[in-house]
Amino acid sequence: MKGIDSMASIIKRGKSYRAQVSLYKNGKHKKLTKSFPTKKEAELWALEMELEKGNGKQLAHGNTTFADYFEDWIYLVKINDVKETTFQFYIRTSNLVRELFKDIKLKDLNDIIVQRKIDEYAKTHSKSTTHTLLLKIRTALKDAYSRGYISNDFSGLVKSRGKILSKRNKALSISDLKKLRNYTFQHPENEFNLFVLLALETGMRRGELLSIRPENIFEYGIEVRNSISPTSNDKSLKTKSAKRNVSINKEVYDLITKIPVKQNGYIFLTYGFKQSEMLAKLLEKLNIEKTTFHGLRDTHASFLFSQEIDLVYVSKRLGHSSIQTTQNYYLELMPEKKHQQDADALKLLNSL
């Protein structure tokens, strides 16, 4: 092999050609090999590998499986970058990566292989869930490329697919909001009803509601300072902007201040974090369209929008880090308001 015989070797094995490149890692010499149908392809690959060695690429790491690399990456890098609850999600993602990629090595990865694995996952998951997985895989691949463990960054070529499911956190209509709110007001003897009422009244997240202590309640509002999670002991809020004071009506204040404080110092029980299941039974009883517990937060936001409350105020009340977040996730009008605006738009067009 001219020009690179001293650095790499090409050996004919039957009908194929095996290229071999010498590597040096952690004080030890190793060899990277790959077979090709033609000598020209083998020579080209060997040349590319030698050039990448010259550019500082750490090719020896390519023999590490992607699953092992992803796990090492989250424990060495991400563990210091994210809060504990988010890190727990990375651990679950690592288990998914191991299940999908099994023993596939870094050096054997390309956009086609990763795309196939993402598509395999997408067959049984929603597009949004698949996209969340892909984002983390992309970040890990970019990290591997920046460290020279893979020869090119192909992560941007991989697309997220999957089933487009109807939104589970659906905002209730104004009429259903009134029905649910009135019922919870009239039946305060059930503490879960007051939990639902407070979610409708404040738009607070479930974990934020669960972390309310007597000292967090004032006339007339609630200090949001912590959040309780079912997967972590970390009680810190989702973002810095989530720390806020949320005003409430006097009638709601009077009801929640009568709730007996639990032995652990909190106002509400965790209900085993089964709030969505409990809410589903309540909504079925009242003949209200099903939504998740987080859907009550959407309902609160959508109602404020429908009443033309200022976007900046709504964003701060929800504890979002930016107005853009509010626009992206909650700027969905309630059905009655949308129908009215449809009529208004047609009326304007007819007047031209």
Side-chain angles (χ1 to χ4, degrees):
M1 181 175 174
K2 295 180 180 180
I4 60 171
D5 294 274
S6 60
M7 299 177 286
S9 62
I10 306 296
I11 303 172
K12 193 173 189 305
R13 301 291 295 267
K15 295 183 178 180
S16 64
Y17 292 82
R18 188 182 70 178
Q20 183 171 276
V21 179
S22 296
L23 303 172
Y24 189 77
K25 178 186 176 185
N26 299 330
K28 296 181 180 179
H29 287 281
K30 295 190 175 185
K31 295 185 183 297
L32 186 63
T33 61
K34 191 171 182 179
S35 297
F36 298 88
T38 67
K39 185 177 181 180
K40 185 175 182 180
E41 289 176 289
E43 290 177 339
L44 180 60
W45 176 82
L47 180 59
E48 288 175 347
M49 295 301 102
E50 292 296 343
L51 289 173
E52 287 174 358
K53 278 171 57 180
N55 290 330
K57 298 291 184 181
Q58 304 296 316
L59 299 177
H61 288 278
N63 285 309
T64 302
T65 67
F66 179 54
D68 284 343
Y69 176 77
F70 191 93
E71 184 174 345
D72 289 343
W73 173 67
I74 67 169
Y75 278 100
L76 293 174
V77 179
K78 300 310 293 183
I79 193 171
N80 297 316
D81 292 344
V82 298
K83 57 184 292 188
E84 186 183 340
T85 50
T86 304
F87 184 69
Q88 293 300 319
F89 183 75
Y90 272 98
I91 292 176
R92 293 194 292 273
T93 303
S94 180
N95 294 333
L96 280 175
V97 168
R98 190 167 296 282
E99 183 180 333
L100 284 171
F101 290 85
K102 295 183 172 59
D103 296 326
I104 298 176
K105 297 180 180 180
L106 278 173
K107 68 182 179 68
D108 296 324
L109 284 181
N110 56 44
D111 59 299
I112 301 300
I113 290 174
V114 177
Q115 185 70 70
R116 284 174 180 166
K117 295 301 178 182
I118 291 297
D119 290 348
E120 178 184 329
Y121 181 78
K123 288 178 182 178
T124 54
H125 294 83
S126 69
K127 187 171 183 179
S128 61
T129 302
T130 303
H131 185 64
T132 299
L133 170 64
L134 177 56
L135 287 178
K136 288 174 172 51
I137 288 176
R138 278 179 180 166
T139 306
L141 288 171
K142 286 180 181 296
D143 183 88
Y145 172 68
S146 67
R147 296 174 190 276
Y149 299 166
I150 56 178
S151 59
N152 62 77
D153 179 12
F154 53 79
S155 59
L157 298 174
V158 184
K159 308 299 179 185
S160 55
R161 302 185 177 112
K163 301 175 181 178
I164 301 178
L165 305 177
S166 57
K167 187 178 179 183
R168 293 176 64 243
N169 304 328
K170 189 175 181 180
L172 301 177
S173 67
I174 294 177
S175 58
D176 282 343
L177 166 58
K178 287 181 179 178
K179 185 189 295 186
L180 180 59
R181 192 171 185 274
N182 288 337
Y183 179 85
T184 54
F185 253 121
Q186 294 164 11
H187 297 83
E189 68 281 358
N190 186 329
E191 284 186 15
F192 180 70
N193 289 343
L194 296 181
F195 194 70
V196 170
L197 174 62
L198 203 54
L200 288 171
E201 186 79 3
T202 65
M204 289 169 60
R205 301 175 178 91
R206 179 183 69 174
E208 295 171 346
L209 292 166
L210 290 175
S211 69
I212 297 174
R213 304 173 76 95
E215 56 266 31
N216 300 130
I217 303 172
F218 61 91
E219 292 188 13
Y220 295 103
I222 297 172
E223 295 177 340
V224 182
R225 298 294 183 269
N226 293 290
S227 181
I228 292 178
S229 166
T231 60
S232 168
N233 292 323
D234 182 6
K235 293 182 174 61
S236 60
L237 294 169
K238 189 173 183 180
T239 64
K240 290 182 180 179
S241 302
K243 181 180 178 181
R244 64 200 188 279
N245 292 343
V246 184
S247 59
I248 56 176
N249 289 314
K250 181 182 183 302
E251 294 80 6
V252 176
Y253 170 84
D254 290 339
L255 287 173
I256 64 171
T257 51
K258 292 176 183 177
I259 300 175
V261 179
K262 307 303 176 287
Q263 195 170 9
N264 59 9
Y266 294 104
I267 297 295
F268 294 108
L269 297 169
T270 63
Y271 303 107
F273 298 95
K274 300 289 185 181
Q275 285 83 2
S276 283
E277 291 91 332
M278 295 171 70
L279 177 64
K281 293 179 181 178
L282 177 58
L283 296 180
E284 184 178 9
K285 175 182 177 180
L286 299 177
N287 196 27
I288 294 175
E289 188 174 359
K290 185 178 179 180
T291 188
T292 63
F293 192 84
H294 194 83
L296 301 181
R297 178 170 162 85
D298 288 21
T299 299
H300 177 81
S302 295
F303 177 70
L304 296 184
F305 289 138
S306 73
Q307 303 305 305
E308 299 179 0
I309 300 296
D310 184 71
L311 178 62
V312 175
Y313 171 80
V314 176
S315 183
K316 289 182 178 179
R317 187 172 176 86
L318 294 173
H320 285 159
S321 56
S322 70
I323 296 177
Q324 189 62 50
T325 302
T326 313
Q327 290 177 320
N328 289 344
Y329 293 97
Y330 292 96
L331 202 52
E332 183 175 313
L333 297 175
M334 286 188 158
E336 293 92 340
K337 188 69 176 179
K338 182 180 184 301
H339 294 157
Q340 180 60 52
Q341 294 210 345
D342 283 343
D344 291 344
L346 292 174
K347 185 177 180 180
L348 285 172
L349 290 169
N350 286 334
S351 66
L352 293 177

